[in-house]
Amino acid sequence: MELRIDRQALVPVVQQIVDALAGWIRQDAVQPGTRLPSIRQLARENLLSQSSVNEACERLVAQGVLAARHGSGFFVAPPPSSSYEPSDKDWLEDTQITQESVPHSSQWELTLGCGGLPESWRESDDLGYAIRQVTRTDMAGLFSYSTPMGLPALREQLSRRLKQFNIHADKNLILTTTGATHGLDLIVRTLLEPGCCVVVESPGYSKLFDLLRFHGIDMIELPRTPRGPDVDALQCLLATHRPSALFVNSACHNPTGSSLAPVVAQQLLQLAKKHAMLVVEDDVYADFQNSTRTRLAALDTDVVYVGSFSKTLSSSLRVGFVVAGSSVIARLRDVKGITSMGSSRFCESVLANLLASGAYRKLVQRQRQRLSADMAAVLQVLEDADWEVFGRPAGGLFIWARPPLCDYAALQRLAKRFGVVLSSRTAFSPSGAVSDWLRINVAHACDSRAQAFFRAAALDRPQLS
């Protein structure tokens, strides 16, 4: 069996083996119970070490793709039982699957609108090493609370890293959080009053909409354009409303993939100053794009900036941060102490280790390069299949696209035929309005099932009845 390992690629060899074996099983429709060639044979035929092949097979066992039989090797695992049991995945916003699809979704289906990287992209070696380092050298990290502001060593690293985005913030202006959602929650509950109104982008981040509703905040929808929020529409809104804040996603916008143009950034900040409107910048996808993109926090120190490492490194570590002026940070720190007793010192120590060693920088470089190639490939397939794309993202994770087939029910049946689960039609609207546009995760869209679905939805193809 030829695995076609590219030793010049940035993707680790073990992960390439995992992808190759999983692709062979899926594309060739290999029957459950089929025995894989032996570890020795696979290693010999592909000039690999047996340990690398074995590790890849063990990962596939952990994912439920393979089954191991003592003394007999590895076999293709049977598909999961058809009986449905709710799993953690069903409750994650970032899967963005339709309610109709939840009871039928399985690990064998492709969630095209997923909000994060595929598990197969996750790299555990550097993370595992950092965890071992912390457990050996930092007993306080294992057993103690972090400081109210967050681990000083991590905040120092964050201060240095933010300079790459031209955001100059002393470590005393950085507050660590348990992920970006925690940061947004602190901002909403501390800086906004129930019953006030805020401006949010449409389409936009559904968890933010849920959070604002929970706190009794009214939302005003601001259309998103390929260059950022619609400034003309914002001027009209400000003529009739007095919003307390504007929430904006500058780079690699979720879900459109668009990024803020410099002129739009300046106009937004001018309007915010004129109308005494707080600006909250959500930049959780920052590391998926190069650092030269415009950030509002780089232009105005009054902007409250939110970041996270959940998308790039690990959703389980739950480390995020907020950057703001000293008085705002002090208020957020006090509320953080009351509501959560602080964040995880262990997680912060692990992240500080990865940042200090340079391992994190190299990780995101590999991710950006891989995403860039996938973005170009998916955009070409969509163009060939006559899909309409909302701008052409210059990087990041998402494409916002509309298929030529406008009958959503027929489109959903077509997607199901290829094992593809579509993103929600209503989740990205603050008012729950139905949309013909779909969020496409480029890291998932290079899968053969997605490619076949895109082509089948082309105008010149017969559609399912």
Side-chain angles (χ1 to χ4, degrees):
M1 179 189 298
E2 184 180 359
L3 300 179
R4 297 184 179 180
I5 302 302
D6 182 0
R7 288 170 174 77
Q8 302 302 315
L10 295 176
V11 182
V13 169
V14 171
Q15 190 57 57
Q16 290 188 57
I17 301 170
V18 169
D19 293 342
L21 290 173
W24 167 69
I25 293 169
R26 182 175 61 247
Q27 294 169 20
D28 290 4
V30 180
Q31 292 299 308
T34 301
R35 185 179 186 275
L36 263 66
S38 69
I39 297 295
R40 182 177 299 174
Q41 180 182 342
L42 284 171
R44 184 179 65 250
E45 291 178 352
N46 294 278
L47 302 178
L48 297 165
S49 69
Q50 292 186 41
S51 61
S52 294
V53 177
N54 187 72
E55 182 181 346
C57 289
E58 292 292 350
R59 289 189 188 182
L60 288 168
V61 169
Q63 295 172 18
V65 177
L66 295 180
R69 299 180 189 172
H70 183 68
S72 300
F74 294 94
F75 295 77
V76 177
S81 171
S82 59
S83 61
Y84 172 70
E85 293 183 6
S87 66
D88 291 343
K89 187 177 181 181
D90 295 334
W91 307 107
L92 294 178
E93 175 275 336
D94 280 339
T95 55
Q96 289 296 348
I97 54 183
T98 61
Q99 288 299 316
E100 297 90 342
S101 300
V102 171
H104 308 293
S105 63
S106 75
Q107 69 183 69
W108 301 98
E109 291 183 310
L110 178 71
T111 51
L112 189 59
C114 182
L117 293 175
E119 287 187 16
S120 62
W121 282 45
R122 298 296 192 180
E123 300 179 26
S124 61
D125 292 347
D126 288 329
L127 179 57
Y129 179 78
I131 290 172
R132 291 191 295 273
Q133 283 287 97
V134 171
T135 57
R136 285 197 300 263
T137 63
D138 184 9
M139 294 298 288
L142 287 175
F143 299 109
S144 302
Y145 289 114
S146 187
T147 65
M149 289 285 290
L151 190 69
L154 174 58
R155 290 186 288 117
E156 185 65 47
Q157 288 294 330
L158 292 174
S159 177
R160 293 173 185 168
R161 185 161 185 79
L162 285 166
K163 290 177 183 177
Q164 299 176 19
F165 301 103
N166 295 316
I167 299 172
H168 298 278
D170 180 83
K171 69 177 182 180
N172 294 319
L173 301 179
I174 301 172
L175 176 77
T176 64
T177 61
T178 309
T181 305
H182 180 213
L184 290 171
D185 181 59
L186 287 174
I187 291 165
V188 172
R189 70 169 67 218
T190 306
L191 305 181
L192 300 176
E193 295 289 338
C196 75
C197 68
V198 299
V199 177
V200 295
E201 297 180 286
S202 182
Y205 180 40
S206 64
K207 273 294 183 184
L208 172 63
F209 305 154
D210 293 339
L211 177 65
L212 291 168
R213 290 190 197 98
F214 178 78
H215 285 289
I217 309 295
D218 295 326
M219 289 176 281
I220 306 171
E221 297 189 38
L222 177 63
R224 177 80 182 198
T225 78
R227 291 166 55 82
D230 187 327
V231 177
D232 292 336
L234 179 59
Q235 287 181 312
C236 293
L237 292 174
L238 293 174
T240 56
H241 297 84
R242 298 185 63 183
S244 299
L246 164 66
F247 288 81
V248 63
N249 198 184
S250 294
C252 305
H253 175 256
N254 178 13
T256 68
S258 59
S259 293
L260 198 61
V263 64
V264 174
Q266 293 287 357
Q267 292 171 330
L268 287 177
L269 291 173
Q270 289 170 5
L271 287 171
K273 288 286 187 187
K274 180 178 179 181
H275 294 272
M277 185 170 54
L278 175 70
V279 177
V280 180
E281 183 174 23
D282 180 353
D283 203 19
V284 297
Y285 295 98
D287 288 325
F288 286 144
Q289 197 175 57
N290 65 60
S291 58
T292 60
R293 290 288 173 179
T294 302
R295 263 75 182 186
L296 295 171
L299 303 174
D300 190 335
T301 56
D302 288 334
V303 171
V304 179
Y305 181 88
V306 180
S308 171
F309 294 86
S310 298
K311 303 300 181 184
T312 50
L313 181 61
S314 170
S315 301
S316 294
L317 278 182
R318 306 304 302 149
V319 180
F321 61 95
V322 176
V323 180
S326 57
S327 61
V328 171
I329 286 293
R331 293 174 64 190
L332 296 176
R333 177 202 62 206
D334 292 344
V335 175
K336 173 187 172 184
I338 294 169
T339 58
S340 66
M341 294 289 291
S343 41
S344 166
R345 177 166 179 150
F346 173 73
C347 292
E348 292 180 0
S349 296
V350 170
L351 179 57
N353 184 291
L354 288 163
L355 290 172
S357 70
Y360 180 78
R361 176 180 57 81
K362 295 175 183 176
L363 168 69
V364 295
Q365 285 177 345
R366 293 191 293 270
Q367 290 176 344
R368 279 199 298 266
Q369 183 169 338
R370 193 172 180 184
L371 281 172
S372 179
D374 285 357
M375 176 71 76
V378 175
L379 286 172
Q380 186 61 57
V381 172
L382 292 173
E383 180 180 338
D384 293 343
D386 297 317
W387 284 58
E388 182 182 356
V389 173
F390 185 91
R392 291 182 66 87
L397 200 59
F398 302 125
I399 296 173
W400 190 237
R402 181 159 55 186
L405 177 60
C406 296
D407 182 343
Y408 185 77
L411 188 73
Q412 202 171 29
R413 291 195 297 272
L414 184 67
K416 186 175 181 181
R417 172 180 158 188
F418 292 97
V420 172
V421 180
L422 303 180
S423 64
S424 168
R425 300 184 72 194
T426 59
F428 303 107
S429 166
S431 60
V434 173
S435 173
D436 293 331
W437 295 81
L438 298 174
R439 183 173 77 173
I440 296 172
N441 182 320
V442 298
H444 289 262
C446 280
D447 186 286
S448 59
R449 292 167 290 179
Q451 305 268 311
F453 165 65
F454 295 145
R455 295 187 181 100
L459 286 172
D460 59 347
R461 303 294 177 88
Q463 305 300 341
L464 294 182
S465 58

